[in-house]
Amino acid sequence: MAAADSSSSIVDFFGGEAGYRCGYCKNVTGNFSHGMWAHSMTVQDYQDLLDRGWRRSGKYVYKPIMNQTCCPQYTIRCRPLHFQPSKSHKKVLKKMLKFLAKGDSSKVAGDVTEEPMDSHGEDAVACSFVLKNASDISQSELKPLSVEETERVETEDNDEEEEMKKEVIVKKVASEPPQICADKDSAGSSERSDSAKLVHTTPKPGKGADLSKPPCRKAKDVRKERKLHKLLQNQTHTLEGSPSQAEPQVLLSQNSKANQPKSIEDFIFVSLPDDATHQLEVRIVRSSPPSCQFKATFQESYQVYKRYQMAVHKHPPDIPTISQFTRFLCDSPLEAENPPSGPDCGYGSFHQQYWLDGKIIAVGVIDVLPYCISSVYLYYDPDYNFLSLGVYSALREIAFIRQLREKTSELCYYYMGFYIHSCPKMRYKGQYRPSDLLCPETYVWVPIEQCLPTLEHSKYCRFNQDLKAVDEGGIKELGRVRVLHKRIVMPYSMYKKRRKGPSDEANVQQYASLVGQTCSERMLLFRN
């Protein structure tokens, strides 16, 4: 036996029996989850709990009962080291750059107002605050945006390069004498002969386009033709042998660099012009325990959250209170750790503040853990809704992980909360690729591409295809579970002998099976 260590995780397990309202499908009693109150928690313990399907909201830590709940919530993680932004991601980044450089806040053609970030409206046990799902980014933000006809595209997409290469090959083949194969042509000869009979004639005035004149062309097509022409010229010179032997290698090297897709860093850390209209600064401040910077900006951050709740969730001006805001988004059970080998900011809970021209416009609540950054929540000033800050902040957090990994090599994942396939508006998280889903039975990570076909047929799925596989981290020795009783730490086998009253073995067994053997031997289960 020993006295409680201040660095140990201390939890009070509630179990989870009764159903409550689901914030996704609105089922009044369909949402089931296990829960525990974390008085304190080490970052390693929380990392291991995430890898077993747990999630925190404030100091309340919960785990959905996957085979019972109406909307199964699968833990999802992205692999930032291999992440490449999609076209819609790039458009969000370009939109931010354009706004910062020129102050252009006009909506892109086809753009729609962001949907409110999904709320997980479940009432926690003995908690008055509302639990929300993590890193909520509206699906509409990720839909491709139409580009204004007058807007110049800064860079060519990679697929344009590939299309041009294909066109080069096609033109080369077309320049060669045609080879006639009667057997193959005969199958489709009637269709082609009909097409060949079409003759272009000049229409009468007012009866259509004059085909004797060049057709109107899009600027994108003109750019592609110019690049195509250059590629053809380069390849012609190479075939004629005009360049030296070293020059084709240089040309190939240049082409390979040009073909490399732009990373998010190429957009985020680009230098703005000296006369840029706006300045954006991202600051990370420790929220628990609160740093001096966090305390100094608390009121401003709270006001942004109030405006967000009023605009997005239609809350009255007196909700949320400062107390609710603090419990939900500021309080955290995670102990601050600053090991020499860790990231410069240390491990624990932080607010990532987005400052535009000296004022806060958005705040990302994140946990920095040994192997990942876990995105908890995002709120922003609704006046800047047009900037798609949900998507932008997620991309900034991915870039932040890459930055931290330069010093801390083990920190290489981005945990985005829960993926809910049964709720269409919550599927957007699967668009951050490559990503994995956590198997709810064996707790192994499976690429999302392998999971989606099974999710189309069933809301609840075991992703591990090995039917013989079991939970390797499951409880094996219940007596080794650590218990905190009257400020004394002891194994459950000893506590069980001292306990008076009815047995609590079933409750402890359930707790240990959910947190796993490793965590059950490290964390302290509070017992009255």
Side-chain angles (χ1 to χ4, degrees):
M1 294 188 298
D5 187 352
S6 60
S7 63
S8 297
S9 301
I10 303 175
V11 297
D12 198 353
F13 180 65
F14 299 136
E17 307 300 335
Y20 42 87
R21 184 178 181 274
C22 175
Y24 305 110
C25 70
K26 312 307 179 185
N27 188 316
V28 179
T29 58
N31 201 342
F32 292 84
S33 70
H34 299 286
M36 57 187 179
W37 187 263
H39 300 276
S40 64
M41 185 167 287
T42 66
V43 291
Q44 185 61 61
D45 284 340
Y46 186 53
Q47 174 74 68
D48 292 343
L49 288 176
L50 284 178
D51 291 331
R52 292 185 65 84
W54 291 84
R55 190 90 183 139
R56 83 170 182 89
S57 180
K59 291 189 174 184
Y60 182 73
V61 188
Y62 61 101
K63 183 183 190 302
I65 305 177
M66 300 291 283
N67 59 355
Q68 295 182 33
T69 192
C70 53
C71 297
Q73 302 156 54
Y74 300 92
T75 302
I76 182 171
R77 73 177 186 185
C78 173
R79 286 172 263 154
L81 304 186
H82 303 285
F83 173 81
Q84 284 295 338
S86 66
K87 287 184 179 180
S88 58
H89 293 153
K90 290 178 182 178
K91 285 175 181 176
V92 169
L93 294 170
K94 289 177 183 179
K95 181 165 57 175
M96 176 63 81
L97 283 177
K98 186 176 179 181
F99 172 72
L100 295 176
K102 302 178 181 179
D104 186 355
S105 61
S106 60
K107 288 186 179 293
V108 179
D111 195 5
V112 294
T113 303
E114 292 185 85
E115 295 177 3
M117 293 192 292
D118 179 76
S119 60
H120 188 183
E122 61 188 30
D123 293 326
V125 179
C127 297
S128 60
F129 58 87
V130 178
L131 297 180
K132 307 279 183 177
N133 197 37
S135 185
D136 298 285
I137 308 163
S138 65
Q139 187 175 3
S140 63
E141 291 175 346
L142 297 179
K143 292 179 182 177
L145 304 176
S146 301
V147 182
E148 293 175 332
E149 293 182 359
T150 57
E151 180 181 354
R152 296 189 60 179
V153 181
E154 294 85 353
T155 59
E156 298 297 328
D157 289 320
N158 208 32
D159 54 351
E160 285 188 24
E161 301 283 354
E162 295 299 323
E163 289 177 13
M164 281 184 262
K165 288 181 180 178
K166 291 177 183 177
E167 290 179 25
V168 171
I169 297 172
V170 170
K171 289 201 173 187
K172 282 185 177 179
V173 174
S175 65
E176 297 176 1
Q179 298 179 356
I180 300 174
C181 180
D183 292 337
K184 292 183 179 179
D185 286 349
S186 60
S189 59
S190 61
E191 182 179 350
R192 280 194 294 274
S193 62
D194 291 339
S195 300
K197 291 177 182 177
L198 294 175
V199 179
H200 296 306
T201 59
T202 303
K204 296 180 180 179
K207 296 295 183 180
D210 186 351
L211 297 179
S212 65
K213 297 181 180 180
C216 296
R217 305 171 65 197
K218 293 183 178 180
K220 182 179 180 180
D221 293 334
V222 174
R223 290 196 301 271
K224 286 177 65 176
E225 183 176 310
R226 289 173 184 166
K227 285 201 170 187
L228 177 62
H229 182 67
K230 288 182 180 179
L231 283 172
L232 285 170
Q233 279 187 330
N234 290 335
Q235 292 196 12
T236 302
H237 290 324
T238 303
L239 290 172
E240 292 174 353
S242 56
S244 64
Q245 292 182 351
E247 286 175 342
Q249 296 177 359
V250 173
L251 179 63
L252 288 173
S253 175
Q254 291 174 347
N255 286 340
S256 64
K257 289 181 179 179
N259 290 337
Q260 290 179 355
K262 275 197 170 186
S263 67
I264 47 179
E265 288 82 1
D266 293 330
F267 293 96
I268 291 174
F269 301 118
V270 65
S271 297
L272 292 173
D274 294 336
D275 60 346
T277 305
H278 301 290
Q279 293 294 326
L280 179 69
E281 180 185 2
V282 180
R283 305 176 190 172
I284 183 164
V285 298
R286 186 178 289 279
S287 56
S288 180
S291 65
C292 295
Q293 298 93 330
F294 178 82
K295 292 178 181 178
T297 58
F298 178 86
Q299 280 294 335
E300 184 174 356
S301 182
Y302 167 60
Q303 292 302 324
V304 172
Y305 180 64
K306 280 191 68 173
R307 289 196 296 274
Y308 171 79
Q309 289 294 330
M310 290 170 60
V312 175
H313 296 296
K314 312 304 179 185
H315 285 183
D318 57 335
I319 297 178
T321 64
I322 288 182
S323 177
Q324 291 170 326
F325 170 70
T326 301
R327 286 202 303 267
F328 174 38
L329 294 174
C330 304
D331 288 349
S332 169
L334 301 186
E335 300 289 337
E337 299 181 24
N338 293 278
S341 59
D344 292 337
C345 62
Y347 297 114
S349 297
F350 298 85
H351 279 196
Q352 199 164 34
Q353 301 173 336
Y354 294 79
W355 289 77
L356 181 69
D357 302 333
K359 72 172 185 176
I360 297 176
I361 63 166
V363 177
V365 183
I366 61 173
D367 294 329
V368 180
L369 304 174
Y371 308 131
C372 75
I373 280 183
S374 174
S375 185
V376 179
Y377 197 71
L378 173 86
Y379 57 94
Y380 55 85
D381 188 330
D383 289 344
Y384 297 92
N385 187 55
F386 64 91
L387 289 174
S388 303
L389 291 171
V391 177
Y392 183 77
S393 64
L395 298 174
R396 289 294 301 234
E397 287 169 7
I398 289 173
F400 186 42
I401 293 169
R402 291 175 169 180
Q403 181 182 352
L404 295 182
R405 191 180 179 274
E406 294 177 2
K407 182 180 179 182
T408 311
S409 60
E410 292 184 339
L411 205 162
C412 55
Y413 293 108
Y414 179 48
Y415 284 47
M416 298 180 284
F418 289 132
Y419 174 82
I420 308 169
H421 193 78
S422 59
C423 182
K425 70 175 182 177
M426 291 302 293
R427 295 182 184 179
Y428 65 85
K429 295 181 183 180
Q431 297 183 29
Y432 291 80
R433 304 285 181 92
S435 57
D436 310 299
L437 297 183
L438 186 68
C439 176
E441 295 182 10
T442 60
Y443 302 111
V444 297
W445 293 98
V446 181
I448 193 170
E449 294 84 358
Q450 298 178 25
C451 305
L452 295 180
T454 55
L455 287 172
E456 287 295 330
H457 295 91
S458 175
K459 289 195 298 185
Y460 173 74
C461 296
R462 171 193 167 105
F463 300 135
N464 192 333
Q465 298 300 311
D466 182 0
L467 299 180
K468 296 181 180 179
V470 296
D471 174 15
E472 296 293 342
I475 187 69
K476 297 176 179 65
E477 297 183 56
L478 188 63
R480 295 174 63 88
V481 173
R482 293 180 81 199
V483 170
L484 177 63
H485 179 58
K486 294 183 178 180
R487 299 186 180 182
I488 302 297
V489 178
M490 64 186 75
Y492 179 68
S493 57
M494 182 177 294
Y495 167 77
K496 183 179 178 181
K497 295 176 182 177
R498 296 186 174 192
R499 177 179 171 83
K500 297 178 181 179
S503 173
D504 64 348
E505 185 170 338
N507 180 266
V508 176
Q509 177 72 46
Q510 184 183 55
Y511 156 80
S513 66
L514 293 170
V515 303
Q517 186 75 44
T518 301
C519 281
S520 70
E521 292 185 23
R522 278 201 313 247
M523 301 194 305
L524 302 180
L525 177 62
F526 179 76
R527 299 279 91 177
N528 289 326

